[in-house]
Amino acid sequence: MAAEGTERVKLSQWDAMLIESLRVLGWSDEELIRRTQQGDLPKDDTSIYEFNYEELAAFAAKEPATFEAAVRSGYQIKYNTIRGIRSWIAIAFAQEPELVLEEGREAVIATLTPAEKARLDEVLSHGWTILDGDGEAAVGAGAGAAVYQIVPQA
């Protein structure tokens, strides 16, 4: 988390998903930075996203301070799409949120712990908000988990 009074670096939605997909491998921040800078990255031939980690290595080489700050201190996504939010949650929290695409009622519905909700709130771009869902804890979702709706701000 960024220190009080400082801004988190801004990342593209795609770069954020690339970083989160590597975090899922259990790498520490230091290992993620080192391996990305050295180009020692996996080949993604199993996920639906078909991540090309060479793009992340190129970003890390071009903007090393921004990349390192994003990994170590967190980031905010420059511009989210509704499908991108769903994908980020699926990658970062290993769950499949519901996507509502009904015009005027677009939302991503996800069951989040308080820590996951706080993390999502930090990375969402401006223009999105997290609303309490039905207020009931989801069965089998872990301590304190609840249903939330991520929606465009009115």
Side-chain angles (χ1 to χ4, degrees):
M1 181 186 290
E4 188 106 359
T6 62
E7 291 262 332
R8 280 185 300 284
V9 298
K10 307 273 197 243
L11 291 184
S12 72
Q13 187 170 264
W14 188 251
D15 286 338
M17 291 192 317
L18 286 167
I19 288 172
E20 296 308 322
S21 71
L22 292 173
R23 283 190 193 282
V24 171
L25 299 175
W27 295 356
S28 67
D29 290 350
E30 293 307 315
E31 183 177 10
L32 197 155
I33 291 167
R34 179 183 52 76
R35 290 183 70 155
T36 301
Q37 290 172 336
Q38 293 174 350
D40 181 17
L41 298 164
K43 178 168 176 28
D44 179 14
D45 52 9
T46 59
S47 84
I48 62 170
Y49 304 104
E50 299 178 0
F51 289 125
N52 178 354
Y53 294 108
E54 291 175 15
E55 296 171 18
L56 188 62
F59 168 67
K62 183 178 175 188
E63 297 185 46
T66 301
F67 173 72
E68 289 184 35
V71 172
R72 288 193 175 105
S73 304
Y75 56 85
Q76 182 178 24
I77 295 172
K78 293 176 190 176
Y79 177 80
N80 280 116
T81 64
I82 195 158
R83 285 181 174 87
I85 293 168
R86 188 216 58 82
S87 296
W88 188 93
I89 292 170
I91 294 163
F93 303 142
Q95 65 166 284
E96 193 57 46
E98 180 183 346
L99 187 58
V100 178
L101 297 174
E102 183 181 327
E103 189 173 335
R105 298 187 35 163
E106 295 88 352
V108 177
I109 301 171
T111 302
L112 305 171
T113 65
E116 289 170 339
K117 179 184 181 268
R119 181 147 185 256
L120 177 61
D121 195 40
E122 287 179 355
V123 304
L124 280 176
S125 66
H126 296 291
W128 293 92
T129 191
I130 302 173
L131 303 175
D132 289 340
D134 59 14
E136 294 181 27
V139 177
V147 175
Y148 296 96
Q149 295 182 41
I150 300 89
V151 299
Q153 287 179 337

